[in-house]
């Protein structure tokens, strides 16, 4: 009999109750006991109500290999060298779970799908040789990629089972079967995607499952999700506004669990009428979706096909553009700006909610937003910033906002997925060809420019980030989807310039995040990701200053690609990473202008003026004064006004000091 399993489940709760409880506990509004009444049951609690679960533990090698050394660590220190000190902790944990009645434990080692895992072969052998004798049966889980050559030593580890991701890497199945066949290792097949929201094609999944069953026997096969379902919404049952057709396309966490069960039952030879009915219904559903996919926006497809190399390039080199932009913008040396968003107050969120509930009219909402924009502009003028922004009070999320104004997307009511910590987002879903029916941000940026004499910077989310932070289509390539987005944004950038906006920032924080896990696969991704950004930004005159912002990741390893984007100005997270990125500038050199963040916005702490001066000094060891913009690390959406104003006043004062010091 083929078994079934999922690798993990969303942590939010069906109605976001777990998120709210965790945040309530952090805020001191809930006690620890009250929190545990909402969630966080342990293995023994589940067992006490008659359910024997498979606990999930992050593997020790991945835990250390993905860790970072502290600033005061000795040169050459490798976190994985701490393995001998960590293993006793793991041994105790696993022994305790065994004593509590756990029959098996899922131990996640996602590092195994990275190239670097080959350097940890010795550590893997050491770790699992020590853990296996004291543990329940260990099911080693990998996901988001392929094992490749790492399979050679993984197949020899003393483990009871091995999980592989056949959604991201289906081609690895034959190699894995050959490697584990001589052993007793059970093979867990990730045939139901844990990363997207599309209904599984049972016929495709069954072909993969049948191949494994025929090779090693049904008793050694588990049908599973490709990864944890952490990245999918909880259930379609909460969606009341999707059309019946749209409902039939999708599968969220609870529905995916049912898919896993059905596939395993079919492979086990089940004659249950409900299983047969589900199998037939899936055939019909997949056929309907394929028919929908065949209908497309021909104009969008033709426009993508007509993209020429000339559309990727600005009219003149940066040196020429810079001289024109200096006259156009009139910015001083060490110009100050922000990344775009300003605090989203309770009043802003309330107004947006009232609009959604139709408690206020569209005109009343626009009047409110205009007042917020003018207030933000006046605050920036008072502080003394040079290049202003409108503050983005009208935006709910940097991707959702644009998706709601483009053709080709649908949205959920409760499709929340975890971004980080307790932050959850509702990713847009790309369901068909993407186009822009009309201007998206022009009205707000134009209004902001109309109430000030200082230059205003338009704010857009880039095509790569919109794609990477949405649920993409499964029927066409990500390249095609990204270029469709790029063309839509190109129109927006052109319209912003026509409306009198002199600088436009196109943010790409997810550019680095979208890189494939294996380095040999990077070029294929960058071959369309970089051109997509350039398509979006290259349709304007030399006078328009293009900006782009990057954060959340270490961009050092793709810095040449950042250079190739040819943005006039890039702003990049630097303070949170303790300025480590600056050495990259020395290694590669950089000719355009750049704003490495001078303070970390992820904390309410207000940086002192001297602290910002010190960061500017450090930056000027790697950059020339003519290159440097002065700005925070990231947007200010999550901060409070008091700390925001205090921090920006210190930033402006430090920039004025720099102008006097480095004349």
């Amino acid at each position: 009999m083929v078994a079934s399993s999922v690798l993990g489940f969303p942590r939010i709760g069906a109605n976001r109750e777990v998120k709210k409880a965790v945040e309530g506990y952090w805020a001191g509004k809930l006690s620890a006991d009250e929190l545990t009444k909402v969630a966080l049951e342990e293995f023994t609690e589940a067992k006490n109500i008659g359910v024997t679960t498979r606990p999930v533990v992050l593997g020790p090698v991945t835990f250390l290999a993905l860790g970072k050394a502290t600033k005061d660590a000795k040169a050459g220190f490798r976190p994985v060298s701490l393995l001998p000190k960590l293993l006793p902790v793991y041994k105790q944990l696993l022994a305790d779970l065994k004593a509590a009645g756990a029959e098996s434990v899922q131990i996640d080692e996602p590092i195994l799908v990275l190239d670097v895992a080959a350097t940890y072969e010795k550590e893997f052998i050491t770790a699992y040789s020590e853990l296996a004798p004291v543990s329940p049966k260990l099911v080693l889980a990998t996901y988001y990629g392929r094992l490749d050559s790492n399979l050679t030593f993984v197949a020899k580890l003393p483990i009871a089972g091995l999980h592989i991701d056949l959604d991201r890497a289906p081609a690895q199945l034959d190699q894995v079967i050959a490697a584990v066949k001589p052993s007793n290792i059970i093979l867990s097949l990730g045939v139901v995607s844990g990363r997207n929201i599309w209904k599984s094609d049972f016929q495709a999944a069954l072909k993969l499952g049948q191949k494994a069953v025929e090779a090693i026997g049904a008793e050694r096969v588990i049908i599973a999700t490709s990864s944890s379902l952490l990245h999918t919404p909880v259930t379609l049952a909460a969606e009341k506004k999707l059309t019946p057709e749209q409902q039939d396309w999708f599968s969220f966490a609870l529905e995916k669990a049912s898919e896993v069960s059905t596939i395993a039952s079919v492979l086990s030879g089940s004659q249950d009428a409900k299983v047969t009915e589900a199998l037939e219904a899936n055939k019909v559903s997949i056929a309907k979706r394929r028919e929908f996919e065949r209908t497309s926006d021909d104009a969008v497809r033709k426009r993508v096909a007509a993209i020429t190399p000339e559309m990727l390039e600005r009219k003149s080199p940066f040196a020429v553009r810079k001289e024109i932009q200096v006259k156009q913008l009139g910015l001083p040396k060490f110009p100050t700006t922000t990344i775009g968003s300003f605090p989203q107050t309770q009043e802003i969120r309330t107004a947006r909610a009232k609009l959604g509930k139709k408690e206020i009219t569209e005109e009343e909402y626009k009047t409110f937003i205009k007042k917020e924009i003018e207030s933000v502009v006046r605050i920036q003028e008072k502080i003394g910033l040079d290049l202003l922004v409108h503050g983005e009070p009208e935006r709910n999320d940097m991707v959702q906002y644009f998706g709601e104004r483009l053709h080709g997307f649908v949205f959920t009511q409760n499709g929340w997925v975890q971004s980080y910590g307790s932050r959850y987002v509702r990713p847009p879903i790309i369901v068909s060809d993407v186009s822009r029916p009309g201007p998206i941000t022009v009205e707000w940026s134009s209004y902001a420019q109309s109430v000030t004499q200082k230059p205003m910077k338009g704010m857009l989310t880039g095509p790569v980030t919109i794609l990477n932070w949405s649920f993409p289509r499964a029927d066409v390539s990500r390249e095609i989807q990204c270029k469709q987005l790029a063309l839509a944004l190109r129109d927006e950038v052109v319209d912003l310039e026509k409306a009198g906006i002199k600088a436009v920032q196109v943010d790409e924080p997810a550019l680095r995040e979208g890189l494939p896990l294996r380095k040999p696969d990077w070029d294929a991704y960058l071959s369309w990701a970089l051109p997509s950004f350039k398509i979006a930004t290259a349709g304007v005159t030399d006078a328009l200053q293009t900006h782009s912002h990057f954060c959340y990741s270490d961009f050092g390893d793709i810095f040449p690609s950042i250079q190739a984007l040819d943005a006039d100005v890039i702003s990049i997270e630097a303070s949170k990473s303790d300025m480590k990125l600056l050495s990259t500038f020395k290694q590669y050199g950089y000719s355009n202008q750049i704003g490495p963040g001078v303070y970390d916005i992820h904390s309410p702490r207000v940086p002192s003026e001297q602290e910002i001066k010190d960061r500017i000094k450090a930056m000027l060891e790697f950059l020339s004064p003519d290159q440097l913009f002065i700005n925070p690390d990231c947007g200010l959406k999550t901060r409070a006004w008091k700390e925001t104003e205090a921090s920006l006043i210190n930033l402006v004062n430090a920039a004025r000091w720099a102008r006097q010091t480095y004349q």
Side-chain angles (χ1 to χ4, degrees):
M1 177 178 174
V2 176
S4 59
S5 178
V6 298
L7 268 65
F9 207 74
R11 301 167 182 162
I12 190 173
N15 297 298
R16 292 193 288 168
E17 61 269 26
V18 177
K19 166 189 164 64
K20 294 171 184 176
V22 169
E23 291 177 343
Y25 174 71
W26 288 343
K29 297 176 182 178
L30 287 183
S31 67
D33 287 342
E34 290 172 317
L35 175 62
T36 55
K37 287 179 182 177
V38 179
L40 308 175
E41 290 90 351
E42 301 293 338
F43 171 80
T44 51
E45 293 178 79
K47 193 168 186 295
N48 287 339
I49 59 172
V51 179
T52 301
T53 60
R54 184 176 73 183
V56 181
V57 178
L58 177 63
V61 182
T62 294
F63 179 85
L64 291 173
L66 297 184
K68 292 185 177 180
T70 59
K71 290 188 290 186
D72 56 352
K74 294 181 180 179
F77 170 75
R78 299 172 70 227
V80 77
S81 66
L82 298 174
L83 186 63
K85 294 183 178 180
L86 183 62
L87 284 178
V89 179
Y90 269 81
K91 289 167 74 173
Q92 185 63 57
L93 170 64
L94 293 168
D96 288 347
L97 287 170
K98 186 175 183 179
E103 298 171 2
S104 64
V105 170
Q106 176 184 316
I107 190 158
D108 291 357
E109 291 283 11
I111 191 97
L112 283 167
V113 301
L114 301 183
D115 299 313
V116 72
T119 65
Y120 297 122
E121 177 178 351
K122 179 182 176 182
E123 285 78 7
F124 270 104
I125 293 171
T126 298
Y128 286 85
S129 295
E130 289 194 32
L131 296 179
V134 300
S135 304
K137 295 177 181 177
L138 294 178
V139 178
L140 183 66
T142 66
Y143 36 80
Y144 307 148
R146 58 188 186 273
L147 280 162
D148 274 357
S149 61
N150 299 325
L151 178 62
T152 303
F153 68 85
V154 169
K156 298 176 182 177
L157 296 176
I159 54 177
L162 173 65
H163 175 83
I164 56 173
D165 186 335
L166 294 182
D167 174 55
R168 290 290 181 92
Q172 67 176 322
L173 180 58
D174 289 339
Q175 181 188 20
V176 174
I177 287 176
V180 303
K181 189 172 184 179
S183 70
N184 294 318
I185 293 176
I186 293 171
L187 193 54
S188 173
L189 308 179
V191 296
V192 172
S193 176
R195 289 301 302 267
N196 70 34
I197 42 66
W198 298 102
K199 183 171 289 186
S200 299
D201 183 341
F202 284 0
Q203 295 305 313
L206 287 167
K207 286 181 182 178
L208 294 171
Q210 192 60 45
K211 178 179 283 190
V213 168
E214 291 173 358
I216 60 177
E219 298 299 324
R220 288 180 59 190
V221 174
I222 299 173
I223 293 298
T225 53
S226 62
S227 63
S228 169
L229 294 170
L230 176 68
H231 305 290
T232 60
V234 176
T235 178
L236 271 171
E239 301 304 322
K240 307 301 181 185
K241 294 185 178 180
L242 293 175
T243 67
E245 180 183 38
Q246 292 166 349
Q247 282 263 1
D248 194 49
W249 294 339
F250 305 134
S251 177
F252 294 172
L254 280 174
E255 291 76 28
K256 286 178 182 292
S258 295
E259 289 181 340
V260 166
S261 176
T262 299
I263 295 167
S265 295
V266 173
L267 288 171
S268 298
S270 173
Q271 300 301 309
D272 189 304
K274 289 184 179 180
V275 173
T276 303
E277 182 181 331
L279 185 62
E280 291 304 312
N282 182 265
K283 288 181 182 178
V284 173
S285 179
I286 295 299
K288 285 182 179 179
R289 173 63 194 174
R290 296 293 178 263
E291 183 59 34
F292 176 86
E293 290 162 353
R294 279 190 281 273
T295 64
S296 62
D297 188 330
D298 194 50
V300 175
R301 298 288 179 98
K302 286 179 178 177
R303 194 177 178 198
V304 171
I307 292 172
T308 63
E310 291 75 22
M311 292 175 65
L312 278 64
E313 304 300 333
R314 296 290 294 273
K315 294 177 176 59
S316 303
F318 170 72
V320 174
R321 303 197 306 264
K322 183 180 179 183
E323 293 303 315
I324 297 171
Q325 291 163 15
V326 166
K327 295 175 183 178
Q328 167 98 327
L329 290 163
L331 297 175
K333 203 171 189 178
F334 299 108
T336 56
T337 189
T338 63
I339 304 306
S341 61
F342 270 84
Q344 288 254 330
T345 62
Q346 184 60 50
E347 290 77 13
I348 292 173
R349 292 192 292 270
T350 299
R352 190 181 301 128
K354 284 184 176 180
L355 177 67
K357 296 175 183 176
K358 301 188 185 304
E359 295 176 3
I360 59 174
T361 66
E362 185 72 32
E363 285 305 311
E364 288 174 321
Y365 178 70
K366 284 186 175 182
T367 299
F368 171 81
I369 292 297
K370 285 183 176 180
K371 287 180 180 178
E372 287 293 323
I373 289 173
E374 184 167 3
S375 174
V376 167
V377 170
R378 298 291 172 247
I379 290 170
Q380 292 175 87
E381 289 177 328
K382 179 182 176 182
I383 290 171
L385 289 163
D386 301 307
L387 180 57
L388 310 189
V389 297
H390 79 285
E392 305 176 18
E394 79 286 3
R395 302 186 190 181
N396 42 23
D397 173 81
M398 67 182 292
V399 172
Q400 180 182 345
Y401 180 79
F402 287 90
E404 287 172 342
R405 287 154 182 82
L406 293 168
H407 284 165
F409 287 82
V410 299
F411 294 84
T412 62
Q413 291 171 271
N414 295 289
W416 300 97
V417 297
Q418 188 174 17
S419 175
Y420 62 90
S422 67
R423 174 166 165 73
Y424 283 76
V425 295
R426 283 185 299 133
I429 305 172
I430 305 176
V431 298
S432 58
D433 294 316
V434 175
S435 61
R436 187 191 76 141
I440 300 171
T441 66
V442 175
E443 178 182 4
W444 304 123
S445 292
S446 297
Y447 176 75
Q449 185 64 82
S450 74
V451 299
T452 184
Q453 294 300 309
K454 288 194 170 185
M456 182 62 55
K457 182 169 58 170
M459 304 300 305
L460 305 176
T461 303
V464 182
T465 294
I466 293 178
L467 177 68
N468 284 337
W469 287 354
S470 298
F471 287 118
R473 296 170 67 175
D475 61 304
V476 297
S477 70
R478 293 168 70 214
E479 176 179 358
I480 288 175
Q481 295 174 77
C482 201
K483 288 181 177 177
Q484 290 179 355
L485 285 162
L487 289 168
L489 293 169
R490 182 185 182 92
D491 295 342
E492 185 74 11
V493 175
V494 168
D495 282 350
L496 282 167
E497 183 178 30
K498 289 179 180 177
I501 303 302
K502 298 179 176 64
V504 175
Q505 181 173 308
V506 181
D507 290 343
E508 288 290 16
L511 177 66
R512 171 65 176 82
E513 177 185 303
L515 276 175
L517 296 177
R518 296 278 185 174
K519 200 164 186 176
D521 301 332
W522 285 12
D523 286 348
Y525 165 76
L526 293 171
S527 71
W528 56 260
L530 302 185
S532 294
F533 175 87
K534 298 180 79 171
I535 289 167
T537 57
V540 292
T541 69
D542 289 340
L544 186 95
Q545 188 177 73
T546 59
H547 291 237
S548 190
H549 175 64
F550 307 90
C551 60
Y552 304 130
S553 300
D554 181 357
F555 287 91
D557 49 7
I558 62 161
F559 197 77
S561 297
I562 301 293
Q563 290 177 302
L565 296 176
D566 196 29
D568 295 310
V569 185
I570 64 170
S571 54
I572 197 160
E573 181 274 312
S575 293
K576 192 168 183 286
S577 61
D578 198 38
M579 310 287 279
K580 291 178 181 176
L581 185 63
L582 292 179
S583 60
T584 303
F585 301 137
K586 187 174 183 178
Q587 179 182 356
Y588 293 104
Y590 192 71
S591 58
N592 297 19
Q593 293 179 284
I594 187 165
V598 295
Y599 76 89
D600 177 17
I601 64 89
H602 295 86
S603 164
R605 173 181 169 273
V606 175
S608 69
E609 184 178 323
Q610 186 58 51
E611 179 181 324
I612 297 176
K613 289 178 181 178
D614 291 341
R615 291 194 180 277
I616 293 172
K617 288 179 186 177
M619 291 171 182
L620 290 173
E621 293 180 15
F622 301 92
L623 300 166
S624 73
D626 290 337
Q627 287 182 284
L628 195 60
F629 268 68
I630 310 298
N631 50 256
D633 260 354
C634 202
L636 300 164
K637 178 180 179 179
T638 61
R639 300 271 55 90
W641 268 112
K642 184 177 180 180
E643 72 209 38
T644 294
E645 290 191 59
S647 298
L648 291 177
I649 287 170
N650 289 343
L651 179 150
V652 168
N653 288 337
R656 288 170 177 163
W657 162 85
R659 287 170 201 147
Q660 295 171 352
T661 305
Y662 300 94
Q663 293 181 352

